[in-house]
Amino acid sequence: MRLTRAGEYGIRCVQHLARHGKGTLVSRKEIAVRTDVPPHFLAKIAQQLARAGIIEIQQGANGGYRLLRDPSEITLLAVIEAIIGEISLNDCVGRPESCHNSPLCTVHRVWNKANQQLRATLQEADFATLAKEDPCCLTPFPETAGHNGPIGKK
Amino acid sequence: MRLTRAGEYGIRCVQHLARHGKGTLVSRKEIAVRTDVPPHFLAKIAQQLARAGIIEIQQGANGGYRLLRDPSEITLLAVIEAIIGEISLNDCVGRPESCHNSPLCTVHRVWNKANQQLRATLQEADFATLAKEDPCCLTPFPETAGHNGPIGKK
DNA sequence: CGATATAAGACTAAAAACATCTTATATATC
DNA sequence: GATATATAAGATGTTTTTAGTCTTATATCG
């Protein structure tokens, strides 16, 4: 009952892009290095984010990823569900024979409530707010302070 | 991000015992058959429930399990966490270097909120209430209607 | 065109979940 | 007390999911 690594990586990726703002192209390599995600794994995650309409992928030399929406319009829920699918805490709790197709089952109802709450909480959190309030992730970037990071590299 | 089978089985087990009431001895076999749980798997789950003080195990011939507490005092949360450990939706979301030990991270805070909500919701649900409200799991038992079920068997 | 970057999905490895099996121990009944 | 029966406890095996890598293809810049 935990978020998968892929889900966490997706959040890191969008978080990083959000700091650059909507529309800014950031190389996969930079994101991978800065967020500590295996590059090839990031590629797969990025494809899912792209399919969900959250980012756009630019191929070719000097390619990379860019946010399609403003960080304020991207929620934690959207990012997570783009990657792991719709959150579902329980398949069906209760005896299959009696409850499998019955949303009337009380245990089932508790899970549904919990599930809705969880999704609501994650939907309330957008990346603009997350970045604004966050005291621990606001390290400045190389390009604002000169150019010596892994971006140019050569 | 789903409840494990073991967790679900634990709920079924307690649910079944709850219908018999606190203190009533029910054989593992009956529970396994009636809740559609593999007997050996149930044994393992029962041991965890016993360690958590929810049920008591009686060994030997005509042994079985019995509830130690009144169903009204047993919550979904207690049963689930007895089996899968304390619910933790995220280990730590955010970059490990910057946020791993920082509960200040906003993303982290969202997860903590979601986690608390989830646990609270599951804690509100006790098995007496669950059974009372439940229209789909209230089939009568053999021993109230005579004796022909798998209990005696011979 | 060639260098470089990502696309897409096949493939592998590791971990977790799920389930069973074996040996030991406890208890009721005879 | 011996025997049959039921669970204890954990070793073992299987399957599924997660995590990560690799390869071939494609797109873009210079």
Side-chain angles (χ1 to χ4, degrees):
Chain A
M1 206 129 125
R2 266 171 46 221
L3 182 69
T4 61
R5 204 80 74 92
E8 178 174 324
Y9 288 166
I11 294 171
R12 290 192 205 171
C13 174
V14 173
Q15 201 170 22
H16 187 82
L17 286 169
R19 279 178 238 153
H20 283 88
K22 170 184 175 180
T24 305
L25 188 71
V26 185
S27 75
R28 185 185 70 173
K29 185 171 185 178
E30 179 191 322
I31 299 170
V33 170
R34 301 279 295 183
T35 62
D36 199 30
V37 174
H40 283 94
F41 203 174
L42 179 57
K44 200 182 291 186
I45 291 163
Q47 285 160 35
Q48 294 178 278
L49 292 174
R51 264 181 240 124
I54 295 170
I55 69 170
E56 187 180 57
I57 297 171
Q58 181 164 327
Q59 280 199 13
N62 303 323
Y65 309 137
R66 61 163 58 90
L67 282 189
L68 281 177
R69 309 183 218 155
D70 193 84
S72 64
E73 292 169 344
I74 304 173
T75 67
L76 266 187
L77 184 70
V79 172
I80 290 164
E81 295 200 331
I83 292 162
I84 66 169
E86 182 167 326
I87 288 173
S88 172
L89 292 175
N90 65 319
D91 266 348
C92 174
V93 181
R95 294 180 59 208
E97 323 89 66
S98 54
C99 301
H100 195 274
N101 294 311
S102 163
L104 297 170
C105 169
T106 2
V107 178
H108 201 155
R109 263 184 275 166
V110 173
W111 279 109
N112 283 345
K113 179 184 174 188
N115 209 73
Q116 280 173 24
Q117 278 185 333
L118 174 58
R119 297 185 74 241
T121 298
L122 295 177
Q123 190 156 35
E124 284 164 17
D126 69 88
F127 280 85
T129 308
L130 288 175
K132 203 182 300 172
E133 292 174 358
D134 210 325
C136 72
C137 297
L138 281 175
T139 44
F141 281 106
E143 77 267 61
T144 51
H147 193 282
N148 55 359
I151 303 169
K153 189 192 174 182
K154 189 165 62 222
Chain B
M1 205 128 124
R2 266 171 45 221
L3 182 69
T4 62
R5 205 79 74 94
E8 179 173 324
Y9 288 167
I11 294 171
R12 291 191 204 171
C13 174
V14 172
Q15 201 170 22
H16 187 81
L17 286 170
R19 278 178 238 154
H20 283 88
K22 170 183 175 180
T24 305
L25 189 70
V26 184
S27 75
R28 184 185 69 172
K29 186 172 185 178
E30 179 191 323
I31 300 171
V33 170
R34 301 279 297 183
T35 62
D36 198 29
V37 173
H40 284 95
F41 204 173
L42 179 57
K44 200 181 290 184
I45 290 163
Q47 285 160 34
Q48 294 177 277
L49 292 173
R51 266 181 237 123
I54 295 169
I55 67 171
E56 187 179 58
I57 296 171
Q58 182 165 325
Q59 279 199 13
N62 303 324
Y65 309 138
R66 60 164 56 93
L67 280 190
L68 281 177
R69 309 184 218 155
D70 192 83
S72 64
E73 291 169 346
I74 304 174
T75 67
L76 266 186
L77 184 70
V79 172
I80 291 164
E81 295 200 333
I83 291 161
I84 67 169
E86 183 168 326
I87 288 174
S88 173
L89 292 175
N90 65 318
D91 267 348
C92 174
V93 181
R95 295 180 58 207
E97 324 87 66
S98 53
C99 301
H100 195 274
N101 294 312
S102 165
L104 297 171
C105 170
T106 4
V107 179
H108 200 153
R109 262 184 276 166
V110 173
W111 280 109
N112 283 347
K113 181 184 171 188
N115 209 73
Q116 281 172 25
Q117 278 185 334
L118 174 58
R119 297 185 74 242
T121 298
L122 296 176
Q123 190 156 35
E124 284 164 17
D126 70 89
F127 280 86
T129 308
L130 287 176
K132 202 181 303 170
E133 293 175 358
D134 211 325
C136 71
C137 297
L138 280 176
T139 45
F141 280 107
E143 79 267 64
T144 51
H147 193 283
N148 55 359
I151 303 170
K153 188 189 176 184
K154 189 167 60 221

